Amino acid sequence: MTRLFGTDGVRGMANRELTAELALDLSVAAAHVLGEVGLFEGHRPRAVVGRDPRASGEFLEGAVVAGLASAGVDVLRLGVLPTPAVAYLTDVLGADLGVVLSASHNPAPDNGIKFLARGGVKLDDTLEDAIEGRLKEEWSRPVGPTIGRVRDYPEGGERYIEHLLSTLPNRLDGLKVVVDEANGAAFRVSPEALRRAGAEVIATHVEPDGLNINDGCGSTHLDGLKAAVIEHGAHAGIAHDGDADRCLAVDADGNEVDGDQILAVLALAMRDTGTLLGDTVVGTVMANFGFKQAMLREGLTFVETAVGDRYVLEAMRAGGFVLGGEQSGHVILTDYATTGDGTLTALQLLARVAATGRPLAELAAVMNKLPQVMINVKDVDKSRAADSAELAQAVKEAEVELGDTGRVLLRPSGTEPLVRVMVEAEDAEQAQRLAEHLAGVVMTALG
């Protein structure tokens, strides 16, 4: 049986896989499970609920709120706010549970439900499995004064902005920045935070209508941002995804600055201020080889995890580290946040530009980004990848050819019948040639 919860909550097409009925049942089950593990002990339980601007979020929010209140949980409705804002408010308001309705960078027809425990942290797999196992069970319903009460909390956005500004090491005066908000959850708070920090802000895609989220804009569509940065003569561009837990950037010449490069800039900034605990950065196996080389050259330690920001965060907690992230723009700064926070990342990155007086392109050049070729080989038996002698030999030969100038990564997909072939090399043509050759071997050996 397929697990309902994925790596980032429950997702699917709204009103097909993700229905109002499922949202209500999940919320009731979550209230029961968290209550039974002692999270509500000794007090009346309280939850905060936030969402991105998707049209489906309106009815799903209603279902989630109804489920929680019917189970005896008081609910604060935050309205449209980024995922990291909901996580922050879950913590600062002392809520027992946070709920985010968003499908992140996915198109508008999709949506998702993500539960956060006390402190604004993601639920572990054990709790998610327990919630899934309690769906549609019989239960004793509270009545009268024991039912949950619901009220709006419109000041949540302002509290979040104030928190973001409190993290700044210096102001952003003199910087002109273009921000692409993806018609998503941060369309108000992110431009406002940047303006209050001192930047001149040109905000784009800040008119969500419920259907245009991530539509040709945001962190997965950077062409418009690149053009706008050049048109306005801006120092930098910032792009978020629909729930604003990601940040990608563009330098003054319109060149992309990805999550690895942002992570490298922040790592050196924190090292220089003595705030990079253990001189260690956490990232995934997909981190560019050039990033790893740069960290080694700068005397910093790189801890590698599986793909997914939850695995990055787990490693950070286990080691007590304060900086981690992914190439996709999920950057986690645990001194200030419990999850990736696109606006927080943008503020810290631009603060480094302002403090040093150096262009973003120059700061990002701390790492030499190696050409990376990724090929998804579909309709193969991914379960046989680890045992194929033919495939192992082909990978070994490619690695011998690359030496210490690149690397090969074969990664079976966790959700699809495909194997991802990734090759990095100093020469783009060599990377393309080796990736195509390995993809052919995968098809032959596993097809």
Side-chain angles (χ1 to χ4, degrees), residues 1 113 164 184 227 291 294-295 303 307 324 392 401:
M1 180 177 176
I113 301 177
L164 291 172
F291 172 81
M295 295 300 97
V303 173
V307 174
E401 179 179 335

Side-chain angles (χ1 to χ4, degrees), residues 395-410:
V395 169
K396 182 178 180 180
E397 291 172 359
E399 289 175 337
V400 168
E401 179 179 335
L402 289 168
D404 60 2
T405 65
R407 66 173 180 141
V408 174
L409 178 66
L410 264 63

Side-chain angles (χ1 to χ4, degrees), residues 272-328:
D272 292 350
T273 58
T275 57
L276 186 66
L277 295 185
D279 281 346
T280 297
V281 184
V282 180
T284 77
V285 294
M286 292 303 296
N288 191 274
F289 192 59
F291 172 81
K292 299 178 183 180
Q293 290 176 320
M295 295 300 97
L296 180 64
R297 185 178 65 250
E298 295 292 335
L300 302 181
T301 299
F302 176 67
V303 173
E304 190 172 84
T305 76
V307 174
D309 62 321
R310 70 184 301 166
Y311 302 114
V312 172
L313 186 56
E314 285 175 4
M316 293 174 69
R317 286 184 189 146
F321 307 127
V322 295
L323 177 65
E326 295 185 282
Q327 195 177 77
S328 61

Side-chain angles (χ1 to χ4, degrees), residues 34-319:
L34 296 180
E36 289 178 5
V37 298
L39 291 187
F40 303 160
E41 195 170 310
H43 68 280
R44 187 176 172 95
R46 180 163 65 165
V48 297
V49 178
R51 63 182 179 88
D52 70 24
R54 293 166 209 266
S56 60
E58 297 166 5
F59 78 77
L60 289 171
E61 176 192 60
V64 167
V65 170
L68 292 172
S70 72
V73 179
D74 291 336
V75 180
L76 294 178
R77 268 192 310 225
L78 303 177
V80 174
L81 279 180
T83 290
V86 179
Y88 168 71
L89 291 166
T90 301
D91 182 23
V92 75
L93 295 176
D96 303 285
L97 174 65
V99 186
V100 182
L101 296 160
S102 177
S104 189
H105 59 283
N106 286 20
D110 293 341
N111 216 322
I113 301 177
K114 178 162 49 182
F115 294 105
L116 303 169
R118 188 180 296 163
V121 299
K122 293 181 179 180
L123 301 186
D124 61 33
D125 290 345
T126 302
L127 286 176
E128 288 181 342
D129 289 340
I131 291 170
E132 187 170 339
R134 300 286 291 275
L135 290 176
K136 295 185 178 300
E137 69 174 1
E138 293 294 325
W139 56 291
S140 177
R141 299 171 185 270
V143 296
T146 58
I147 63 172
R149 304 301 299 271
V150 181
R151 70 180 178 89
D152 293 328
Y153 189 76
E155 56 266 48
E158 179 61 28
R159 290 198 67 170
Y160 174 59
I161 291 172
E162 291 174 355
H163 163 65
L164 291 172
L165 295 175
S166 73
T167 72
L168 275 175
N170 53 269
R171 287 182 56 80
L172 310 183
D173 300 298
L175 293 184
K176 180 189 286 189
V177 184
V178 179
V179 293
D180 180 345
E181 296 299 340
N183 292 313
F187 76 104
R188 288 194 187 99
V189 295
S190 185
E192 180 65 15
L194 289 164
R195 288 191 183 102
R196 290 197 207 174
E200 178 185 347
V201 178
I202 298 99
T204 66
H205 299 106
V206 288
E207 297 180 351
D209 61 10
L211 303 175
N212 60 1
I213 188 170
N214 301 316
D215 187 8
C217 56
S219 61
T220 52
H221 304 276
L222 293 178
D223 287 348
L225 179 62
K226 293 175 180 179
V229 167
I230 294 172
E231 176 188 349
H232 292 282
H235 295 92
I238 297 294
H240 297 137
D241 59 337
D243 71 335
D245 64 353
R246 296 187 188 193
C247 172
L248 294 180
V250 170
D251 68 24
D253 296 319
N255 300 307
E256 179 181 347
V257 178
D258 69 13
D260 286 340
Q261 293 166 297
I262 292 172
L263 205 57
V265 173
L266 295 184
L268 298 193
M270 294 172 69
R271 179 200 63 186
D272 292 350
T273 58
T275 57
L276 186 66
L277 295 185
D279 281 346
T280 297
V281 184
V282 180
T284 77
V285 294
M286 292 303 296
N288 191 274
F289 192 59
F291 172 81
K292 299 178 183 180
Q293 290 176 320
M295 295 300 97
L296 180 64
R297 185 178 65 250
E298 295 292 335
L300 302 181
T301 299
F302 176 67
V303 173
E304 190 172 84
T305 76
V307 174
D309 62 321
R310 70 184 301 166
Y311 302 114
V312 172
L313 186 56
E314 285 175 4
M316 293 174 69
R317 286 184 189 146

